[in-house]
Amino acid sequence: MKKPNILLITSDQQHWNTIGAFNPELSTPNLDRLVQEGTTFTRAYCPNPTCTPTRSSIITGQYPSQHGAWTLGTKLLEDRHTVGEDFKRADYRTALIGKAHFHPLKGTEEYPSLEAYPLLQDLDYWKAFDQTFYGFDHVELARNHTNEAHVGQHYALWMEEKGLTNWRDYFLAPTGTMDPNQLHHWAIPEEFHYNTWIAERTNALLEQYKESNEGFFLWSSFFDPHPDYLVPSPWDTMYDPEKLTIPTVTPGEHEKNPPHFQLTQEEHPDFSYLKESGYGLHGYHSHSRLPESERKQLVATYYGMISCMDAHIGRILDRLDALGLAENTIVVFTTDHGHFFGQHGLQYKGGFLYEDLIKLPFIVRYPGHVPAGRSSNAIQSLVDLAPSFLSMAGLPVPCFMTGVDQSSVWTGQAEHARDHAICEFRHEKTTIHQKTYVDERYKITVYYNQTYGELFDLQEDPGEIRNLWDEPAYRDLKSRLLLSYIWAELGKEPLAMPRIWHA
């Protein structure tokens, strides 16, 4: 029997409840199609709520505290083993199209970065780039979210090849000339949007693999709906802000939370006590300054970005069908982490590990193997993707991968493969360092060198409004969960090799 192909499709910073099949306020016909044809996992989690750590976990099968890319502004060291290497050894073709973010925007002599200035925008360099990149034998990369000045690499080359010689008009200074005051509507024609680029280049590779009759592990990595909130016509006006449900804070909900939650609701908070490295702190600022009208428009644009992306995911799924590859291709759709757009009075992301930020949309389709139209509450983690892909392909899983093999759960042969998930967030060396343990019902978050924390009963309080950490009636539960968390930490320690003899 021919080994299956793997197609991983990811968005960036997508809230778990933004698929039309489950949320009637959105239109996502192509993700809905995957829901109908595959299994949706409603309890999927990221190992870290930021890009570099989680994306590195996807390809290493290890947690950020293990693979070393522990926060934004770090890199995944080149000596780390990746799942692409395992697939290459098994004669698979491996490729990544879109966002990688395994490197920071600045490098040093000790830690050089391929995604740093000025190399990021050296188009001659990227035109000739033919190196293996973290186990991918073919990559086409970009680094910008919407109109960011970080545009360059293969995406800029593609725009020029397509005849958009004035592409800089659609991006911010110093790279481009776009007006920074232009919000929500992005004037770039959709035919030159990076969604179009990712779908087109993914489909070109699918055609190549079909023609050469080669198995493949292909990651199509979309940038949206990561802010800034911009999308081309007609998607920018697809949703009426006045007709959408806009999440908000519950009065008093942060009174029993750690201090950084309360500070976000102040107009001029002081987070200087957390600054350690001198670099920016994601999420540690005021979240209370946005007027109601702007918050509504942000949600409308965010939904428009998702619907636009969905249309281009549909192009990929259609090409899989047209090439006759769908029956032998495992398709997984997910995102790298979630997003706040008003929940708990918060915007974007940061050290607030609510379900909105760490729970993910997660769909698996493999015709004839993964049950169609099914929903499962089996806990998943993105750290499980690498070992599960290998197992589904009949390949050995390296013992140092600490993710769990979910193949029997995906195929419906087992109810669950793990009873918990762990999410790590270490944004500074000591001052911002926390971990969340979540099981079937409860969630507990601990902070390095702090006596405060969070404890939520997700069954009785799914909105995570009532922090039980300091409530005397829950002292025994807190002790039990802390012990379970310690066991989970012990259980995820990596092994360099199996034990092979008595002594």
Side-chain angles (χ1 to χ4, degrees), residues 122-131 154 157:
D122 184 344
L123 300 191
D124 289 334
Y125 173 85
W126 292 105
K127 191 170 188 177
F129 187 83
D130 62 355
Q131 303 172 32
H154 296 97
L157 283 170

Side-chain angles (χ1 to χ4, degrees), residues 261-337:
F261 287 82
Q262 301 157 38
L263 285 172
T264 64
Q265 305 306 297
E266 297 180 5
E267 188 170 354
H268 299 290
D270 181 6
F271 284 103
S272 60
Y273 73 101
L274 293 175
K275 290 192 174 182
E276 188 173 16
S277 66
Y279 299 113
L281 303 180
H282 286 73
Y284 296 88
H285 52 75
S286 175
H287 291 239
S288 65
R289 298 179 188 171
L290 282 175
E292 181 73 7
S293 59
E294 178 65 7
R295 291 204 309 113
K296 291 180 177 180
Q297 184 58 60
L298 289 180
V299 177
T301 306
Y302 184 75
Y303 285 3
M305 294 167 77
I306 292 170
S307 291
C308 178
M309 177 183 65
D310 176 85
H312 293 275
I313 290 173
R315 293 175 56 200
I316 296 172
L317 298 178
D318 288 345
R319 189 61 56 89
L320 265 182
D321 285 343
L323 293 172
L325 293 171
E327 293 299 310
N328 195 48
T329 300
I330 301 165
V331 177
V332 171
F333 170 79
T334 188
T335 192
D336 55 359
H337 54 81

Side-chain angles (χ1 to χ4, degrees), residues 411-471:
T411 56
Q413 300 173 59
E415 287 298 316
H416 59 84
R418 58 162 68 242
D419 61 7
H420 69 274
I422 287 180
C423 184
E424 307 177 339
F425 187 66
R426 189 173 189 176
H427 204 35
E428 291 281 37
K429 188 176 180 181
T430 64
T431 58
I432 303 177
H433 186 190
Q434 65 203 75
K435 292 191 181 183
T436 292
Y437 169 93
V438 56
D439 65 17
E440 181 179 347
R441 178 170 176 174
Y442 298 104
K443 172 191 282 186
I444 192 165
T445 299
V446 296
Y447 293 79
Y448 180 62
N449 281 344
Q450 299 294 342
T451 57
Y452 54 65
E454 297 139 51
L455 171 58
F456 294 106
D457 183 340
L458 298 178
Q459 177 178 295
E460 300 300 320
D461 179 25
E464 299 174 274
I465 304 301
R466 182 186 176 192
N467 182 7
L468 307 173
W469 180 269
D470 285 322
E471 296 201 13

